[in-house]
């Protein structure tokens, strides 16, 4: 279908999700999509910029190619399972609409600036997922997803700050980025029902990025990107860092669920006190101890955090209709078949004295270190013959396939 947007001199030929190469299957050899840096001093970056100050990284790629067409992005924004937003206008007059969008929505847009933003595109498009690979100098558990934006001339989401680090990779066209001071909850915002726009944004740096250029912005730095000309596409490689509130809330909820009614305050040594109305320091110390002793269990915390961190943000359901069974897994692995990870799934492991804890999509598997490490190393896995022959491997892989986190690559 052709969606003409004459006022913008732009025509989207919407690609339905199923027409995007590899959409929802992610089953293509990784080497076809590899993206690598040719010039980027990662150690220098980590020492001087990561979580410290912004950095413009002029096209560092061995060979940059834009991994997604604007039409494909527009097609994703029409899909019910994909989270997307349209921000129309500029200044405080910007209006936000949430997707999914009707196929004719883009054709209806009046002349003027607008931008379309689509979340977690790496979950749906393997070539966009491949963009994450060079950023794995940051551990996987800190990586969130790739948001992709497309803007007409002058389009952008306005001046704002994020709580997370972001690498803004310019895919197509040009965008002017202005970066300003560190912000916090006291930073004045413009009144707006949907957007958190900074009121008096004064930039200290300004750059125009072209295809392949990258801007790194640490958490809480004010920034604003405005498309210079039409056909401006930007890939935001986003990270996550749990807030203390999220950790306390999640960990306490997990602990509390496993506690029994009988586990409560006791005072067999109670003595009469001068003022019955007083909660004494001794009572407070005992109450506080009840809480802090439970919270101090580091091993239980690690188990909870691994499961919590590996919970998928969006559901890219790969669950098979019928369970695969360990025997089929054994036969497929004996034939040298390769496994693909669901791009929406999260794989992380923790070392333990006797085994590794492998966490996938909120579930823990206690397994051989080699198996956990190979499953966490890349999105496509051909297991070592020794690991592939182990009965424990067959059980773990069958469970991962049944829960929709893994699939065998079908060469046909
Ligand atoms: C954009 O791509 O327009 C917004 C990205 C950001 O500011 O984080
Ligand atoms: Co931002």
């Amino acid at each position: 279908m052709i969606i003409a947007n004459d006022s913008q001199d732009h025509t989207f030929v919407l690609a339905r999700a199923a027409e995007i190469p590899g959409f929802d299957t992610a089953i293509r050899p990784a080497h076809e999509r590899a993206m690598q840096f040719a010039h980027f001093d990662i150690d220098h970056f980590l020492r001087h910029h990561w979580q410290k100050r912004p950095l413009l990284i002029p096209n560092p790629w061995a060979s940059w190619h834009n991994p997604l067409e604007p039409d494909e992005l527009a097609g994703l924004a029409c899909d019910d399972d994909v989270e997307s937003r349209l921000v129309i206008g500029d200044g405080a007059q910007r209006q936000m609409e949430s997707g999914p969008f009707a196929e004719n929505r883009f054709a209806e847009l009046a002349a003027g600036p607008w931008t379309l933003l689509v979340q977690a595109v790496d979950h749906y498009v393997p070539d966009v997922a491949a963009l994450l690979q060079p950023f794995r100098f940051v551990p996987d558990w800190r990586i969130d997803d790739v948001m992709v934006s497309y803007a007409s001339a002058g389009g952008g989401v306005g001046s704002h700050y994020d709580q997370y680090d972001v690498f803004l990779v310019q895919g197509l066209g040009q965008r002017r980025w202005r970066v300003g001071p560190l912000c916090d909850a006291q930073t004045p915002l413009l009144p707006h029902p949907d957007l958190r726009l900074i009121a008096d944004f004064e930039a200290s740096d300004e750059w125009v990025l072209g295809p392949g250029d990258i801007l790194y912005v640490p958490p809480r730095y004010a920034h604003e990107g405005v498309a210079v000309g039409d056909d401006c596409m930007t890939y935001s490689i986003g990270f996550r860092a749990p807030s203390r509130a999220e950790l306390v809330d999640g960990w306490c909820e997990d602990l509390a669920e496993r506690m029994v009614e009988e586990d409560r305050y006791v005072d067999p040594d109670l003595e009469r006190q001068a003022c019955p109305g007083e909660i004494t320091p001794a009572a407070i110390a005992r109450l506080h101890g009840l809480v802090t002793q439970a919270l101090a269990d580091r091993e239980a915390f690690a188990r909870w955090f691994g499961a919590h961190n590996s919970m998928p943000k969006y559901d890219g359901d790969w669950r098979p209709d019928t369970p695969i069974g360990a025997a089929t897994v054994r036969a497929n692995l004996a034939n040298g078949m390769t496994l693909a990870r669901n791009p929406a799934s999260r794989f992380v492991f923790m070392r333990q004295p006797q085994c590794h804890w492998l966490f996938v999509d909120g579930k823990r598997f206690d397994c051989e270190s080699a198996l956990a490490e190979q499953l966490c190393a890349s999105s496509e896995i051909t297991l070592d013959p020794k690991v592939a022959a182990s009965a424990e491997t067959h059980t773990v892989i069958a469970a991962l396939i049944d829960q929709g986190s893994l699939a065998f690559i079908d060469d046909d």
Side-chain angles (χ1 to χ4, degrees):
M1 86 220 56
I2 294 180
I3 310 277
N5 183 354
D6 298 334
S7 56
Q8 297 284 312
D9 195 24
H10 178 84
T11 305
F12 269 139
V13 184
L14 279 192
R16 297 305 301 169
E19 293 159 20
I20 300 173
F23 176 85
D24 210 24
T25 60
I27 300 180
R28 288 163 63 201
H31 63 260
E32 276 182 20
R33 352 183 262 258
M35 296 290 290
Q36 304 172 11
F37 293 138
H39 327 275
F40 181 35
D41 185 341
I42 290 170
D43 294 325
H44 185 274
F45 169 79
L46 289 176
R47 233 181 356 261
H48 299 284
H49 292 276
W50 174 251
Q51 298 235 305
K52 298 169 198 74
R53 57 186 72 91
L55 178 68
L56 173 71
I57 309 162
N59 195 340
W61 304 92
S63 155
W64 172 255
H65 62 269
N66 181 45
L68 184 72
E69 293 302 318
D71 302 323
E72 295 173 330
L73 187 72
L76 282 174
C78 299
D79 198 292
D80 290 344
D81 297 328
V82 179
E83 189 184 332
S84 57
R85 285 168 296 157
L86 197 50
V87 177
I88 304 165
D90 51 17
Q93 307 317 316
R94 280 181 175 82
Q95 287 183 350
M96 198 189 87
E97 291 173 21
S98 297
F101 296 100
E103 287 171 2
N104 57 358
R105 180 66 191 102
F106 305 106
E108 287 169 350
L109 286 167
W114 56 268
T115 184
L116 169 68
L117 303 113
V118 183
Q119 294 299 138
V121 177
D122 54 309
H123 293 188
Y124 310 103
V125 185
D127 284 347
V128 173
L131 264 186
L132 289 169
Q133 184 61 31
F135 294 95
R136 288 179 77 202
F137 57 85
V138 182
D140 292 345
W141 74 268
R142 293 276 273 111
I143 295 179
D144 191 9
D145 58 23
V146 185
M147 181 188 80
V148 186
S149 69
Y150 175 91
S152 67
V157 295
S159 53
H160 66 282
Y161 67 96
D162 301 308
Q163 295 290 349
Y164 307 104
D165 308 82
V166 64
F167 288 95
L168 298 153
V169 182
Q170 191 61 22
L172 268 189
Q174 291 190 316
R175 187 184 282 275
R176 172 173 287 105
W177 282 104
R178 300 195 309 130
V179 178
L182 264 176
C183 302
D184 59 24
Q186 271 67 55
T187 302
L189 302 178
L190 292 173
H192 197 287
D194 305 308
L195 301 168
R196 292 173 54 80
L197 301 169
I198 295 171
D200 307 305
F201 176 47
E202 283 189 29
S204 45
D205 282 298
E206 179 172 325
W207 300 279
V208 175
L209 272 66
D213 293 338
I214 303 176
L215 177 65
Y216 164 70
V217 184
R220 298 199 287 112
Y221 267 88
H223 55 283
E224 179 182 38
V226 178
V228 178
D230 282 326
D231 271 336
C232 169
M233 260 179 111
T234 305
Y235 296 78
S236 300
I237 314 286
F239 293 82
R240 54 202 182 128
S243 68
R244 198 192 296 244
E246 172 192 337
L247 292 173
V248 170
D249 187 37
W251 171 221
C252 288
E253 190 184 323
D254 181 78
L255 274 176
E257 274 169 9
R258 287 182 288 109
M259 284 170 182
V260 293
E261 280 282 294
E262 297 72 28
D263 183 5
R264 62 181 53 238
Y265 184 82
V266 290
D267 50 4
D269 49 354
L270 183 71
E271 289 178 7
R272 282 193 288 163
Q273 59 186 60
C275 307
E278 181 186 3
I279 303 176
T280 61
I284 287 293
R286 190 172 285 188
L287 289 162
H288 189 231
L290 274 180
V291 175
T292 52
Q293 280 156 22
L295 291 178
D297 185 342
R298 219 167 89 165
E299 191 177 301
F301 174 79
R303 275 197 302 270
W304 165 77
F305 183 72
H308 170 77
N309 177 261
S310 71
M311 288 297 282
K313 197 156 123 189
Y314 300 98
D315 188 21
D317 198 353
W318 277 20
R319 268 175 296 183
D321 294 336
T322 49
I324 184 161
T328 307
V329 172
R330 185 180 60 234
N332 288 356
L333 291 178
N335 285 333
M337 278 183 81
T338 298
L339 290 155
R341 285 183 354 196
N342 184 337
S345 294
R346 298 188 189 276
F347 284 68
V348 285
F349 75 83
M350 290 180 201
R351 286 171 211 280
Q352 295 301 311
Q354 308 299 336
C355 63
H356 276 12
W357 288 343
L358 169 71
F359 297 94
V360 185
D361 297 339
K363 297 264 164 42
R364 189 183 90 239
F365 301 84
D366 297 356
C367 63
E368 257 175 64
S369 53
L371 176 61
E373 288 176 27
Q374 287 175 38
L375 289 174
C376 291
S378 59
S379 54
E380 279 162 28
I381 309 120
T382 308
L383 292 172
D384 282 352
K386 191 161 161 272
V387 177
S390 140
E392 181 193 272
T393 296
H394 308 147
T395 315
V396 172
I397 301 279
L400 289 170
I401 291 175
D402 291 345
Q403 73 174 38
S405 310
L406 270 185
F408 280 106
I409 293 183
D410 187 349
D411 286 332
D412 309 328

